[in-house]
Amino acid sequence: MKTRGVIKGIIANLLLVEAENAVGQNEICMIEHQGTELMGEVIKIAGKTAYVQVFDSTRGLRVGTEVVFTGSLLEVTLGPGMLSKNYDGLQNDLAEIDGLFLDRGARSRALDPKAEWHFHPAVKAEEKVIAGSWLGHVDEHGIQHQIMAPFDLEGEWIIESVVEAGTYQADSVLARLRKGDEQREVNMIQRWPVKLALHRFKDKPRPSRLLETGVRTIDSLNPMLEGGVGFIPGPFGSGKTVLQHAISKQAEADIVIVAACGERANEVVEIFKEFPELDDPHTGKKLMDRTIIIANTSNMPVAAREASVYTAMTLGEYYRQMGLRVLLLADSTSRWAQALREMSNRLEDLPGPDAFPMDLTAIISNFYARAGRVELHNGSYGSITFIGTVSPAGGNLKEPVTESTKKATRCFYALAQRRADSKRYPAIDPILSYSKYLEYPEFQAYAAEHISNHYVDAIQEMKNLLQRGGESNDQINILGDDGVPLAYHVHFWRAELIDFVILQQDAFDQIDAMTPMARQMEMLDLVLDICRRDLPFEHFEEVSSFFKGLINDCKQLNYTAYQTEDYATRKAAIETIVRERAEPVNA
């Protein structure tokens, strides 16, 4: 019998409900209001009073209204048919909801239980399975969507029967399992609580494989790894969206999940309009075929905004359980943190810095920890690479959300307003940004074997050159061109060469937008070889003139198709120019 309660107080979207019996933390409840059922979640319990955060507007609710607790947590529905869908934070299919605006209490199915899929069994009767074991697969937009044993199974179960290969509805019984006297029927659909991490794997090793994105300032300077976590803080207009599109389109991932958390309505509309138009360079189809979008606008209740990131992560964990590589992009986690702040304030919790919850760092860390690369029980590997964006107020990178996220992530891609203003895109600051994965011995071994044996050393050398160039630039700006030694100008222009040729990239050019790793290493070797040479100059103007010409030649090389005759000619011409100018190479 379900527990019931009565509303005793209302504070915005927060209800104080006196429950008749025990209720659970994060338990879902329903409130009947004028023929519409409003959904809420228990976020705090004090004696008989349950604090309920409602996912819809509470306008018109009255004290004394009855509340029914469901006994279950906030769950998502998992199964084939999720790819290319646009969901809200509660996994309502937005395409199924009529009208321009979401009506209060509007709900729609996440999956169509009557949709038909061609099932290929992978197990036989009397085989043993555990939670998450692959029973067979269906084809979903060219991806093998594994049908798995229920995630809530305990211990080993035996397959009593499994259907033959054929076309079945999503809710058709595909297999029957038994364990002693217990029996379970399995279809293609499962449910799982969003705030409970899906741990149905054997091991979770540290990330060690490069996630190639084709973005040079990431791959060649601050690499992101498969199963890694990072974040992109950046002010408005610094190219965050274009960078996200580039990463989602080009990264070596099987599934892309985009969580638009608390974004402005026009930004969400842009995502809905632009993503279906993006071409997938890996498959030749549309990127949307392997993408799921979770969207909650900034005017939605805070609980719905908070739920969206958890829903996105749970969908990612589901696909990771199939041995797939998932790329999860969240924009922005600042709005998620703001939702947490609003909820914390309404609960009258002790405030932390800037009124955010005291445990903000722990909440963010726990969430980021759900990403990662895992080894499944059948020996396959799956991963969730999570890249969040943060929108620090006024570009202040010392505010609590940025600082807390820094502690939880290993990659930091700081978008700089001054780079965006000078049209240096991607506007990732090469000095402030970092990737701690470069320190991992397992990644260093992987890079030496699969990329280049001097990949990590080349990155460190490039960082030193950029640092030295930045310092020289400061000295030149303070003392003037004539007030510093000629070597300062050489240091500055070496850094400019790296900046223009390696770090800057044209996201709208068909060739330059995506650079394969082999080409990146070749360009890296070419530029570093130039920087290592002792180039003789008589005057600082001669330095700038020479490097400006060289930068132009190298940028033209970036726009040239790789491994073509034209490419080889341009590269040979650059090497000739440098060789004629240089003295013998320093050891």
Side-chain angles (χ1 to χ4, degrees), residues 479-509:
L479 302 175
D481 289 331
D482 291 329
V484 297
L486 194 61
Y488 281 44
H489 289 275
V490 176
H491 293 325
F492 167 68
W493 279 102
R494 283 173 178 164
E496 288 291 277
L497 179 69
I498 294 171
D499 194 336
F500 277 94
V501 179
I502 303 293
L503 306 186
Q504 294 179 42
Q505 204 164 349
D506 187 347
F508 300 100
D509 182 79

PDB file of all heavy atoms in Angstrom, residues 479-509:
ATOM      1  N   LEU A 479      59.053  47.182 -22.179  1.00  0.00           N
ATOM      2  CA  LEU A 479      60.290  47.901 -22.491  1.00  0.00           C
ATOM      3  C   LEU A 479      60.362  48.412 -23.929  1.00  0.00           C
ATOM      4  O   LEU A 479      61.258  49.186 -24.264  1.00  0.00           O
ATOM      5  CB  LEU A 479      61.497  46.983 -22.209  1.00  0.00           C
ATOM      6  CG  LEU A 479      61.593  46.458 -20.762  1.00  0.00           C
ATOM      7  CD1 LEU A 479      62.737  45.476 -20.634  1.00  0.00           C
ATOM      8  CD2 LEU A 479      61.797  47.630 -19.793  1.00  0.00           C
ATOM      9  N   GLY A 480      59.466  47.943 -24.780  1.00  0.00           N
ATOM     10  CA  GLY A 480      59.490  48.375 -26.182  1.00  0.00           C
ATOM     11  C   GLY A 480      60.343  47.438 -27.036  1.00  0.00           C
ATOM     12  O   GLY A 480      61.158  46.670 -26.530  1.00  0.00           O
ATOM     13  N   ASP A 481      60.140  47.525 -28.350  1.00  0.00           N
ATOM     14  CA  ASP A 481      60.862  46.628 -29.260  1.00  0.00           C
ATOM     15  C   ASP A 481      62.373  46.804 -29.172  1.00  0.00           C
ATOM     16  O   ASP A 481      63.137  45.841 -29.270  1.00  0.00           O
ATOM     17  CB  ASP A 481      60.409  46.888 -30.706  1.00  0.00           C
ATOM     18  CG  ASP A 481      58.987  46.396 -30.945  1.00  0.00           C
ATOM     19  OD1 ASP A 481      58.582  45.440 -30.269  1.00  0.00           O
ATOM     20  OD2 ASP A 481      58.288  46.980 -31.790  1.00  0.00           O
ATOM     21  N   ASP A 482      62.808  48.037 -28.980  1.00  0.00           N
ATOM     22  CA  ASP A 482      64.255  48.292 -28.941  1.00  0.00           C
ATOM     23  C   ASP A 482      64.852  48.055 -27.556  1.00  0.00           C
ATOM     24  O   ASP A 482      66.072  48.046 -27.414  1.00  0.00           O
ATOM     25  CB  ASP A 482      64.535  49.751 -29.342  1.00  0.00           C
ATOM     26  CG  ASP A 482      64.231  49.972 -30.820  1.00  0.00           C
ATOM     27  OD1 ASP A 482      64.389  49.021 -31.596  1.00  0.00           O
ATOM     28  OD2 ASP A 482      63.823  51.099 -31.170  1.00  0.00           O
ATOM     29  N   GLY A 483      64.012  47.889 -26.569  1.00  0.00           N
ATOM     30  CA  GLY A 483      64.506  47.789 -25.197  1.00  0.00           C
ATOM     31  C   GLY A 483      64.836  46.391 -24.742  1.00  0.00           C
ATOM     32  O   GLY A 483      65.208  46.194 -23.574  1.00  0.00           O
ATOM     33  N   VAL A 484      64.661  45.408 -25.569  1.00  0.00           N
ATOM     34  CA  VAL A 484      64.934  44.015 -25.170  1.00  0.00           C
ATOM     35  C   VAL A 484      65.924  43.400 -26.159  1.00  0.00           C
ATOM     36  O   VAL A 484      66.037  43.853 -27.309  1.00  0.00           O
ATOM     37  CB  VAL A 484      63.636  43.180 -25.154  1.00  0.00           C
ATOM     38  CG1 VAL A 484      62.658  43.700 -24.140  1.00  0.00           C
ATOM     39  CG2 VAL A 484      62.999  43.145 -26.541  1.00  0.00           C
ATOM     40  N   PRO A 485      66.645  42.378 -25.735  1.00  0.00           N
ATOM     41  CA  PRO A 485      67.576  41.705 -26.655  1.00  0.00           C
ATOM     42  C   PRO A 485      66.829  41.077 -27.831  1.00  0.00           C
ATOM     43  O   PRO A 485      65.634  40.774 -27.746  1.00  0.00           O
ATOM     44  CB  PRO A 485      68.227  40.629 -25.776  1.00  0.00           C
ATOM     45  CG  PRO A 485      67.998  41.070 -24.383  1.00  0.00           C
ATOM     46  CD  PRO A 485      66.720  41.837 -24.381  1.00  0.00           C
ATOM     47  N   LEU A 486      67.560  40.855 -28.909  1.00  0.00           N
ATOM     48  CA  LEU A 486      66.949  40.278 -30.118  1.00  0.00           C
ATOM     49  C   LEU A 486      66.366  38.888 -29.837  1.00  0.00           C
ATOM     50  O   LEU A 486      65.363  38.482 -30.430  1.00  0.00           O
ATOM     51  CB  LEU A 486      68.020  40.185 -31.224  1.00  0.00           C
ATOM     52  CG  LEU A 486      67.520  39.930 -32.639  1.00  0.00           C
ATOM     53  CD1 LEU A 486      66.605  41.048 -33.106  1.00  0.00           C
ATOM     54  CD2 LEU A 486      68.704  39.776 -33.601  1.00  0.00           C
ATOM     55  N   ALA A 487      67.018  38.177 -28.904  1.00  0.00           N
ATOM     56  CA  ALA A 487      66.554  36.815 -28.575  1.00  0.00           C
ATOM     57  C   ALA A 487      65.116  36.817 -28.064  1.00  0.00           C
ATOM     58  O   ALA A 487      64.374  35.847 -28.274  1.00  0.00           O
ATOM     59  CB  ALA A 487      67.485  36.193 -27.546  1.00  0.00           C
ATOM     60  N   TYR A 488      64.697  37.901 -27.392  1.00  0.00           N
ATOM     61  CA  TYR A 488      63.321  37.976 -26.891  1.00  0.00           C
ATOM     62  C   TYR A 488      62.321  37.968 -28.052  1.00  0.00           C
ATOM     63  O   TYR A 488      61.248  37.364 -27.966  1.00  0.00           O
ATOM     64  CB  TYR A 488      63.145  39.244 -26.041  1.00  0.00           C
ATOM     65  CG  TYR A 488      63.678  39.127 -24.638  1.00  0.00           C
ATOM     66  CD1 TYR A 488      64.914  38.544 -24.387  1.00  0.00           C
ATOM     67  CD2 TYR A 488      62.956  39.591 -23.560  1.00  0.00           C
ATOM     68  CE1 TYR A 488      65.422  38.434 -23.095  1.00  0.00           C
ATOM     69  CE2 TYR A 488      63.446  39.489 -22.253  1.00  0.00           C
ATOM     70  CZ  TYR A 488      64.682  38.907 -22.046  1.00  0.00           C
ATOM     71  OH  TYR A 488      65.163  38.799 -20.775  1.00  0.00           O
ATOM     72  N   HIS A 489      62.698  38.657 -29.135  1.00  0.00           N
ATOM     73  CA  HIS A 489      61.810  38.666 -30.306  1.00  0.00           C
ATOM     74  C   HIS A 489      61.734  37.281 -30.940  1.00  0.00           C
ATOM     75  O   HIS A 489      60.669  36.851 -31.401  1.00  0.00           O
ATOM     76  CB  HIS A 489      62.315  39.686 -31.333  1.00  0.00           C
ATOM     77  CG  HIS A 489      62.127  41.102 -30.903  1.00  0.00           C
ATOM     78  ND1 HIS A 489      60.959  41.792 -31.088  1.00  0.00           N
ATOM     79  CD2 HIS A 489      62.969  41.949 -30.253  1.00  0.00           C
ATOM     80  CE1 HIS A 489      61.070  43.012 -30.595  1.00  0.00           C
ATOM     81  NE2 HIS A 489      62.291  43.133 -30.074  1.00  0.00           N
ATOM     82  N   VAL A 490      62.881  36.589 -30.949  1.00  0.00           N
ATOM     83  CA  VAL A 490      62.891  35.225 -31.511  1.00  0.00           C
ATOM     84  C   VAL A 490      62.016  34.311 -30.655  1.00  0.00           C
ATOM     85  O   VAL A 490      61.216  33.533 -31.189  1.00  0.00           O
ATOM     86  CB  VAL A 490      64.332  34.669 -31.581  1.00  0.00           C
ATOM     87  CG1 VAL A 490      64.318  33.226 -32.077  1.00  0.00           C
ATOM     88  CG2 VAL A 490      65.190  35.544 -32.488  1.00  0.00           C
ATOM     89  N   HIS A 491      62.133  34.420 -29.324  1.00  0.00           N
ATOM     90  CA  HIS A 491      61.285  33.605 -28.438  1.00  0.00           C
ATOM     91  C   HIS A 491      59.805  33.899 -28.688  1.00  0.00           C
ATOM     92  O   HIS A 491      58.972  32.987 -28.765  1.00  0.00           O
ATOM     93  CB  HIS A 491      61.612  33.915 -26.966  1.00  0.00           C
ATOM     94  CG  HIS A 491      62.972  33.476 -26.548  1.00  0.00           C
ATOM     95  ND1 HIS A 491      63.572  32.330 -27.025  1.00  0.00           N
ATOM     96  CD2 HIS A 491      63.867  34.034 -25.687  1.00  0.00           C
ATOM     97  CE1 HIS A 491      64.779  32.196 -26.475  1.00  0.00           C
ATOM     98  NE2 HIS A 491      64.986  33.222 -25.671  1.00  0.00           N
ATOM     99  N   PHE A 492      59.491  35.185 -28.810  1.00  0.00           N
ATOM    100  CA  PHE A 492      58.089  35.568 -29.011  1.00  0.00           C
ATOM    101  C   PHE A 492      57.552  34.995 -30.326  1.00  0.00           C
ATOM    102  O   PHE A 492      56.451  34.418 -30.363  1.00  0.00           O
ATOM    103  CB  PHE A 492      57.975  37.102 -29.017  1.00  0.00           C
ATOM    104  CG  PHE A 492      56.655  37.600 -29.510  1.00  0.00           C
ATOM    105  CD1 PHE A 492      55.489  37.404 -28.780  1.00  0.00           C
ATOM    106  CD2 PHE A 492      56.557  38.254 -30.732  1.00  0.00           C
ATOM    107  CE1 PHE A 492      54.260  37.859 -29.251  1.00  0.00           C
ATOM    108  CE2 PHE A 492      55.333  38.707 -31.206  1.00  0.00           C
ATOM    109  CZ  PHE A 492      54.183  38.499 -30.463  1.00  0.00           C
ATOM    110  N   TRP A 493      58.333  35.109 -31.396  1.00  0.00           N
ATOM    111  CA  TRP A 493      57.819  34.658 -32.689  1.00  0.00           C
ATOM    112  C   TRP A 493      57.806  33.125 -32.811  1.00  0.00           C
ATOM    113  O   TRP A 493      57.016  32.582 -33.574  1.00  0.00           O
ATOM    114  CB  TRP A 493      58.610  35.307 -33.822  1.00  0.00           C
ATOM    115  CG  TRP A 493      58.105  36.692 -34.076  1.00  0.00           C
ATOM    116  CD1 TRP A 493      58.666  37.868 -33.690  1.00  0.00           C
ATOM    117  CD2 TRP A 493      56.870  37.034 -34.718  1.00  0.00           C
ATOM    118  NE1 TRP A 493      57.892  38.932 -34.053  1.00  0.00           N
ATOM    119  CE2 TRP A 493      56.764  38.441 -34.694  1.00  0.00           C
ATOM    120  CE3 TRP A 493      55.843  36.296 -35.304  1.00  0.00           C
ATOM    121  CZ2 TRP A 493      55.688  39.114 -35.246  1.00  0.00           C
ATOM    122  CZ3 TRP A 493      54.763  36.976 -35.847  1.00  0.00           C
ATOM    123  CH2 TRP A 493      54.699  38.365 -35.812  1.00  0.00           C
ATOM    124  N   ARG A 494      58.653  32.459 -32.087  1.00  0.00           N
ATOM    125  CA  ARG A 494      58.553  30.993 -32.040  1.00  0.00           C
ATOM    126  C   ARG A 494      57.214  30.580 -31.424  1.00  0.00           C
ATOM    127  O   ARG A 494      56.539  29.671 -31.918  1.00  0.00           O
ATOM    128  CB  ARG A 494      59.704  30.402 -31.216  1.00  0.00           C
ATOM    129  CG  ARG A 494      61.041  30.348 -31.939  1.00  0.00           C
ATOM    130  CD  ARG A 494      62.133  29.907 -30.991  1.00  0.00           C
ATOM    131  NE  ARG A 494      63.424  29.791 -31.664  1.00  0.00           N
ATOM    132  CZ  ARG A 494      64.582  29.732 -31.025  1.00  0.00           C
ATOM    133  NH1 ARG A 494      64.616  29.790 -29.694  1.00  0.00           N
ATOM    134  NH2 ARG A 494      65.710  29.617 -31.708  1.00  0.00           N
ATOM    135  N   ALA A 495      56.849  31.270 -30.333  1.00  0.00           N
ATOM    136  CA  ALA A 495      55.554  30.979 -29.703  1.00  0.00           C
ATOM    137  C   ALA A 495      54.399  31.322 -30.646  1.00  0.00           C
ATOM    138  O   ALA A 495      53.389  30.600 -30.702  1.00  0.00           O
ATOM    139  CB  ALA A 495      55.428  31.767 -28.397  1.00  0.00           C
ATOM    140  N   GLU A 496      54.549  32.429 -31.392  1.00  0.00           N
ATOM    141  CA  GLU A 496      53.509  32.794 -32.350  1.00  0.00           C
ATOM    142  C   GLU A 496      53.375  31.747 -33.455  1.00  0.00           C
ATOM    143  O   GLU A 496      52.267  31.437 -33.911  1.00  0.00           O
ATOM    144  CB  GLU A 496      53.826  34.160 -32.973  1.00  0.00           C
ATOM    145  CG  GLU A 496      53.635  35.331 -32.033  1.00  0.00           C
ATOM    146  CD  GLU A 496      52.168  35.578 -31.707  1.00  0.00           C
ATOM    147  OE1 GLU A 496      51.483  36.244 -32.495  1.00  0.00           O
ATOM    148  OE2 GLU A 496      51.708  35.082 -30.649  1.00  0.00           O
ATOM    149  N   LEU A 497      54.507  31.214 -33.872  1.00  0.00           N
ATOM    150  CA  LEU A 497      54.478  30.159 -34.902  1.00  0.00           C
ATOM    151  C   LEU A 497      53.677  28.952 -34.405  1.00  0.00           C
ATOM    152  O   LEU A 497      52.817  28.419 -35.123  1.00  0.00           O
ATOM    153  CB  LEU A 497      55.911  29.746 -35.252  1.00  0.00           C
ATOM    154  CG  LEU A 497      56.056  28.631 -36.290  1.00  0.00           C
ATOM    155  CD1 LEU A 497      55.618  29.112 -37.666  1.00  0.00           C
ATOM    156  CD2 LEU A 497      57.506  28.125 -36.346  1.00  0.00           C
ATOM    157  N   ILE A 498      53.945  28.534 -33.166  1.00  0.00           N
ATOM    158  CA  ILE A 498      53.206  27.412 -32.581  1.00  0.00           C
ATOM    159  C   ILE A 498      51.722  27.761 -32.474  1.00  0.00           C
ATOM    160  O   ILE A 498      50.842  26.954 -32.797  1.00  0.00           O
ATOM    161  CB  ILE A 498      53.778  27.059 -31.186  1.00  0.00           C
ATOM    162  CG1 ILE A 498      55.208  26.527 -31.325  1.00  0.00           C
ATOM    163  CG2 ILE A 498      52.893  26.046 -30.480  1.00  0.00           C
ATOM    164  CD1 ILE A 498      55.927  26.352 -30.008  1.00  0.00           C
ATOM    165  N   ASP A 499      51.452  28.978 -32.021  1.00  0.00           N
ATOM    166  CA  ASP A 499      50.068  29.409 -31.829  1.00  0.00           C
ATOM    167  C   ASP A 499      49.293  29.377 -33.146  1.00  0.00           C
ATOM    168  O   ASP A 499      48.214  28.754 -33.250  1.00  0.00           O
ATOM    169  CB  ASP A 499      50.064  30.823 -31.228  1.00  0.00           C
ATOM    170  CG  ASP A 499      48.702  31.216 -30.681  1.00  0.00           C
ATOM    171  OD1 ASP A 499      47.685  30.641 -31.146  1.00  0.00           O
ATOM    172  OD2 ASP A 499      48.627  32.087 -29.811  1.00  0.00           O
ATOM    173  N   PHE A 500      49.842  30.014 -34.173  1.00  0.00           N
ATOM    174  CA  PHE A 500      49.112  30.130 -35.439  1.00  0.00           C
ATOM    175  C   PHE A 500      49.011  28.795 -36.179  1.00  0.00           C
ATOM    176  O   PHE A 500      48.002  28.517 -36.822  1.00  0.00           O
ATOM    177  CB  PHE A 500      49.789  31.172 -36.342  1.00  0.00           C
ATOM    178  CG  PHE A 500      49.373  32.582 -36.034  1.00  0.00           C
ATOM    179  CD1 PHE A 500      50.123  33.365 -35.173  1.00  0.00           C
ATOM    180  CD2 PHE A 500      48.221  33.120 -36.588  1.00  0.00           C
ATOM    181  CE1 PHE A 500      49.734  34.668 -34.882  1.00  0.00           C
ATOM    182  CE2 PHE A 500      47.824  34.411 -36.304  1.00  0.00           C
ATOM    183  CZ  PHE A 500      48.584  35.188 -35.443  1.00  0.00           C
ATOM    184  N   VAL A 501      50.048  27.977 -36.103  1.00  0.00           N
ATOM    185  CA  VAL A 501      50.098  26.764 -36.929  1.00  0.00           C
ATOM    186  C   VAL A 501      49.501  25.546 -36.215  1.00  0.00           C
ATOM    187  O   VAL A 501      48.779  24.750 -36.818  1.00  0.00           O
ATOM    188  CB  VAL A 501      51.553  26.477 -37.362  1.00  0.00           C
ATOM    189  CG1 VAL A 501      51.619  25.205 -38.189  1.00  0.00           C
ATOM    190  CG2 VAL A 501      52.115  27.649 -38.131  1.00  0.00           C
ATOM    191  N   ILE A 502      49.787  25.418 -34.908  1.00  0.00           N
ATOM    192  CA  ILE A 502      49.320  24.237 -34.168  1.00  0.00           C
ATOM    193  C   ILE A 502      48.020  24.522 -33.426  1.00  0.00           C
ATOM    194  O   ILE A 502      47.045  23.762 -33.538  1.00  0.00           O
ATOM    195  CB  ILE A 502      50.393  23.765 -33.160  1.00  0.00           C
ATOM    196  CG1 ILE A 502      51.715  23.470 -33.882  1.00  0.00           C
ATOM    197  CG2 ILE A 502      49.896  22.531 -32.408  1.00  0.00           C
ATOM    198  CD1 ILE A 502      51.682  22.295 -34.824  1.00  0.00           C
ATOM    199  N   LEU A 503      47.985  25.600 -32.670  1.00  0.00           N
ATOM    200  CA  LEU A 503      46.848  25.831 -31.761  1.00  0.00           C
ATOM    201  C   LEU A 503      45.607  26.363 -32.462  1.00  0.00           C
ATOM    202  O   LEU A 503      44.489  25.987 -32.121  1.00  0.00           O
ATOM    203  CB  LEU A 503      47.265  26.784 -30.634  1.00  0.00           C
ATOM    204  CG  LEU A 503      48.513  26.391 -29.832  1.00  0.00           C
ATOM    205  CD1 LEU A 503      48.704  27.341 -28.666  1.00  0.00           C
ATOM    206  CD2 LEU A 503      48.393  24.955 -29.324  1.00  0.00           C
ATOM    207  N   GLN A 504      45.794  27.265 -33.428  1.00  0.00           N
ATOM    208  CA  GLN A 504      44.624  27.840 -34.090  1.00  0.00           C
ATOM    209  C   GLN A 504      44.147  26.913 -35.202  1.00  0.00           C
ATOM    210  O   GLN A 504      44.944  26.269 -35.880  1.00  0.00           O
ATOM    211  CB  GLN A 504      44.959  29.212 -34.653  1.00  0.00           C
ATOM    212  CG  GLN A 504      45.262  30.242 -33.575  1.00  0.00           C
ATOM    213  CD  GLN A 504      45.604  31.591 -34.145  1.00  0.00           C
ATOM    214  OE1 GLN A 504      44.986  32.054 -35.088  1.00  0.00           O
ATOM    215  NE2 GLN A 504      46.614  32.233 -33.577  1.00  0.00           N
ATOM    216  N   GLN A 505      42.848  26.866 -35.377  1.00  0.00           N
ATOM    217  CA  GLN A 505      42.249  25.926 -36.328  1.00  0.00           C
ATOM    218  C   GLN A 505      40.954  26.517 -36.860  1.00  0.00           C
ATOM    219  O   GLN A 505      40.194  27.117 -36.092  1.00  0.00           O
ATOM    220  CB  GLN A 505      41.977  24.604 -35.604  1.00  0.00           C
ATOM    221  CG  GLN A 505      41.915  23.396 -36.486  1.00  0.00           C
ATOM    222  CD  GLN A 505      42.024  22.110 -35.686  1.00  0.00           C
ATOM    223  OE1 GLN A 505      42.342  22.127 -34.504  1.00  0.00           O
ATOM    224  NE2 GLN A 505      41.747  20.991 -36.320  1.00  0.00           N
ATOM    225  N   ASP A 506      40.727  26.331 -38.127  1.00  0.00           N
ATOM    226  CA  ASP A 506      39.518  26.860 -38.754  1.00  0.00           C
ATOM    227  C   ASP A 506      38.426  25.791 -38.707  1.00  0.00           C
ATOM    228  O   ASP A 506      38.472  24.817 -39.448  1.00  0.00           O
ATOM    229  CB  ASP A 506      39.827  27.267 -40.200  1.00  0.00           C
ATOM    230  CG  ASP A 506      38.665  27.993 -40.858  1.00  0.00           C
ATOM    231  OD1 ASP A 506      37.555  27.958 -40.297  1.00  0.00           O
ATOM    232  OD2 ASP A 506      38.872  28.588 -41.929  1.00  0.00           O
ATOM    233  N   ALA A 507      37.446  25.986 -37.824  1.00  0.00           N
ATOM    234  CA  ALA A 507      36.395  24.980 -37.642  1.00  0.00           C
ATOM    235  C   ALA A 507      35.449  24.912 -38.841  1.00  0.00           C
ATOM    236  O   ALA A 507      34.649  23.973 -38.944  1.00  0.00           O
ATOM    237  CB  ALA A 507      35.597  25.283 -36.379  1.00  0.00           C
ATOM    238  N   PHE A 508      35.537  25.909 -39.744  1.00  0.00           N
ATOM    239  CA  PHE A 508      34.613  25.934 -40.877  1.00  0.00           C
ATOM    240  C   PHE A 508      35.285  25.540 -42.188  1.00  0.00           C
ATOM    241  O   PHE A 508      34.658  25.594 -43.243  1.00  0.00           O
ATOM    242  CB  PHE A 508      33.981  27.326 -40.999  1.00  0.00           C
ATOM    243  CG  PHE A 508      33.216  27.722 -39.775  1.00  0.00           C
ATOM    244  CD1 PHE A 508      33.771  28.569 -38.829  1.00  0.00           C
ATOM    245  CD2 PHE A 508      31.944  27.215 -39.543  1.00  0.00           C
ATOM    246  CE1 PHE A 508      33.075  28.918 -37.687  1.00  0.00           C
ATOM    247  CE2 PHE A 508      31.240  27.556 -38.404  1.00  0.00           C
ATOM    248  CZ  PHE A 508      31.805  28.416 -37.471  1.00  0.00           C
ATOM    249  N   ASP A 509      36.583  25.161 -42.120  1.00  0.00           N
ATOM    250  CA  ASP A 509      37.277  24.678 -43.314  1.00  0.00           C
ATOM    251  C   ASP A 509      37.235  23.156 -43.331  1.00  0.00           C
ATOM    252  O   ASP A 509      37.525  22.504 -42.325  1.00  0.00           O
ATOM    253  CB  ASP A 509      38.731  25.154 -43.311  1.00  0.00           C
ATOM    254  CG  ASP A 509      39.466  24.710 -44.559  1.00  0.00           C
ATOM    255  OD1 ASP A 509      39.291  25.353 -45.610  1.00  0.00           O
ATOM    256  OD2 ASP A 509      40.187  23.697 -44.483  1.00  0.00           O
TER     257      ASP A 509
END
